[in-house]
Amino acid sequence: MSLFVIVFYGLLIAVSCLTASYRRHDVFMATFSLTLICFLIGLIGGEPWLKRIAIGIGIFLAAGGIAYSFRKFLSLLLPRDAARLIRTAPLTASFGLFVILVYLVAAIFAPIIAPYGEADVIAGAYAPADEKMLLGGDQLGRDLFSRIIYGARNTVGIALLTTGIAFFVGSLLGLMAATLGGWVDQICGRIADTLMAIPQLIFALLLLSILGTNVVNLILVIALLYSPLVFRLARAVAGNIVVMDYIEAAKLRGEKTWYLIVREILPNATAPLVAEFGLRFCFVFLAISALSFLGLGIQPPTADWGSMVRDNSTLISFSQGTPLIPAAAIALLTVAVNFVVDWLLHISSGLKE
Amino acid sequence: MIGIIKLVAKRLGFGLVTLFIVSLIIFWAVEALPGNLAEQVLGQAATPETVEALSKEMGLDRPAFVRYIDWLSSALQGDFGSSLANKRSVSEQLEPRFFNTMFLAGLAAAMSIPISIILGVLAALWRDSIFDRGANVVTLTSISSPEFFLGYILILFLAVQNPIFPSISNVSEGMTLGERTFATMLPAITLTLVVIAHMMRMTRAAIIALLASPYIEMARLKGEPRWKIIVVHALPNALAPVINVVALNLAYLITGVVLVEIVFVYPGVGQLLVDSVQKRDFPVVQACCLIFAATYILLNLLADVGAILSNPRLRHPK
């Protein structure tokens, strides 16, 4: 038994006892079951596996610590109303906010952070990592680290633009359909239903094969395919609002449709629409990454996470994890946005009741 | 009883209409190409004479709606024309691949449905406990990860570092069921992980909505033991939402298959579709899209019909 094993189990058991004596029963159950599982894994796999578990626990605790501190930081920094909202946020939401902030910084300051340009060939193909290249080179000898940083700008930027278009078209038509009703509503609804009857990825493949693959087509096709989903939600939310008395009153005052949409309906539909924007962003982002991974999305030499995974995937069979980093970057951002959306949905449903 | 049959028939008819419209879209999308399809196929070699010859050969000189009816009626008989790239019959290429894709999706479904329903019910029972919150974070993470991320992680850990499963799913016709299952294991696990997360969250939401209803509270106030409340009172009524959840997720599985097939070089319809999109081989693309869309619509239809059959309230729409 090495010192590490003794300290590892000692800490786990100490935390279990502490939580038990403070009557935090659910935390105690979690820690102690973890201890028991570690006993089992330690017996089968030996010390290396225990070390991996320790690293996992460390990462988890570090993420929790960052989330906790960031929440405190925000609640002290922001004005009072926002601070009260932040203080009640779950840890997952503040972790999500922190990650989104990091991605924003990476995207905006990409040329300053990245040591090399996104298309600069500086070493041999698949060059190993050294002091100059943090993560080594890719299949053409470009710096992988720099490309990941630039990827934040390209991939996230394109996804944001696409979501923006889909959201603008979808919510505008949804609000119009709900306000005008009648045949506008019927026609928009039927078109949306038809577009949603074909799975999005398949439809995107069909359209891209016809239009040809470039970034503009990609943005337009994905925006077209995801706007019906926004339309449906906007239509449903606005449908509940247009039956209210104050809308009736505004109509009797003789207000125009545009005034009704912008001044009366939109302010009351903001919370669910913002949550929907986050949710749609996740789906659009995943769809664009998937198409880029298939070689039909963002084209080289633009650095993009989806195509980086595919281009470097041969490294996996040599037991190297580097191609997983851009994929993990996609997953981390989507998780972060989802955490924040979960919290927003919780707030907006809480306000309704 | 007649009411049910009428309702189901109405729903089926609606599905058929949707399928018809989808086939129209798939056909006319290719028609909307700039110029002539023959010009597109020939590319650099397009001279007026070659274009005309090929147009005649492909039947492009006939009006579009005649070709559409021709295309649809032969597609219904299982004939999708021949590929532009290698001149082979599309159905011939599709048939073994369709079977492979169905096998992969079926294996993933067989693994994911029982696990996710059990986990979903447990999460609903122990709502707001540490298990529920942990499950929430894990499922959210797995929904948010692209399929290829999960796939490559599995390849790295279960095929390269610990060689348990093959990293490339090489299935061929002469394989026994056992060999085939073994070769398909990694892609099936990848799909399972994604679908479990979706299905578990939906099952949990459905059961929680159910547990809030008055008759469950009544049973609880009567002093019935917890397991009895679940098994006798909740589960029979949970059947409707669970059937719905399963069918919707099977529909999701059908599209998730495309990416997973590419990652594991699995010879299925998804791989054929992506290859043909890159080669701009339109007859194959159309056939694959039609198959995927039809399966998707059919499964959504099943979800609806299942819901109607298991929930009497839906039989009498207001």
Side-chain angles (χ1 to χ4, degrees), chain A residues 26-27 194 197-199 202-203 205-206 209-210 286 290 293-294 309 313 316 319 324 327-328 334-335 338-339, chain B residues 18 21-22 29-30 33 130 140 144 148-149 152 156 160-161 255 259 262-263 273 277-278 280 282 289 292 296-297:
Chain A
D26 45 352
V27 186
T194 316
I198 309 180
I202 308 296
F203 209 164
L205 286 175
L206 174 70
S209 77
I210 291 162
L286 284 179
F293 172 76
L294 297 176
V309 178
S313 62
I316 300 241
S319 191
L324 291 179
T334 328
V335 172
N338 261 324
F339 279 160
Chain B
T18 318
I21 295 173
V22 165
V30 174
L33 266 175
I130 243 178
L140 207 56
S144 312
F148 53 85
F149 181 45
Y152 281 129
L156 187 63
V160 178
Q161 293 192 345
T255 49
L259 281 174
I262 296 291
V263 171
L273 173 59
V277 168
Q278 272 154 355
R280 306 190 75 179
F282 298 113
C289 285
F292 274 119
Y296 186 78
I297 292 170

Side-chain angles (χ1 to χ4, degrees), chain B residues 6-16 300-301 304-305 308:
Chain B
K6 222 170 162 182
L7 212 58
V8 170
K10 202 170 149 195
R11 203 60 204 78
L12 281 175
F14 197 66
L16 274 181
N300 274 316
L301 201 66
D304 277 358
V305 172
I308 290 173

Side-chain angles (χ1 to χ4, degrees), chain B residues 99-165:
Chain B
F99 173 71
N100 288 344
T101 298
M102 282 298 134
F103 184 78
L104 171 59
L107 192 61
M111 289 199 290
S112 55
I113 292 173
I115 301 176
S116 52
I117 289 178
I118 292 173
L119 286 179
V121 171
L122 286 182
L125 274 185
W126 298 329
R127 188 166 18 145
D128 291 332
S129 72
I130 243 178
F131 169 76
D132 182 31
R133 277 188 225 160
N136 183 35
V137 171
V138 172
T139 49
L140 207 56
T141 313
S142 125
I143 290 175
S144 312
S145 314
E147 283 92 345
F148 53 85
F149 181 45
L150 290 174
Y152 281 129
I153 288 184
L154 288 180
I155 291 188
L156 187 63
F157 288 117
L158 293 181
V160 178
Q161 293 192 345
N162 311 292
I164 304 171
F165 295 111

Side-chain angles (χ1 to χ4, degrees), chain B residues 209-272:
Chain B
L210 203 71
L211 289 182
S213 37
Y215 64 86
I216 298 284
E217 197 176 358
M218 174 67 201
R220 206 178 288 140
L221 291 177
K222 263 193 326 197
E224 295 231 343
R226 216 176 163 151
W227 65 266
K228 214 169 168 185
I229 297 178
I230 298 297
V231 176
V232 178
H233 297 275
L235 270 187
N237 291 301
L239 206 59
V242 167
I243 288 176
N244 211 5
V245 167
V246 167
L248 287 181
N249 278 289
L250 289 183
Y252 174 82
L253 240 166
I254 293 300
T255 49
V257 147
V258 176
L259 281 174
V260 173
E261 280 179 5
I262 296 291
V263 171
F264 291 95
V265 203
Y266 184 83
V269 182
Q271 203 195 28
L272 183 66

Side-chain angles (χ1 to χ4, degrees), chain A residues 183-196:
Chain A
W183 60 270
V184 179
D185 192 15
Q186 287 294 322
I187 289 178
C188 288
R190 289 293 87 75
I191 293 177
D193 281 350
T194 316
L195 282 179
M196 281 191 296

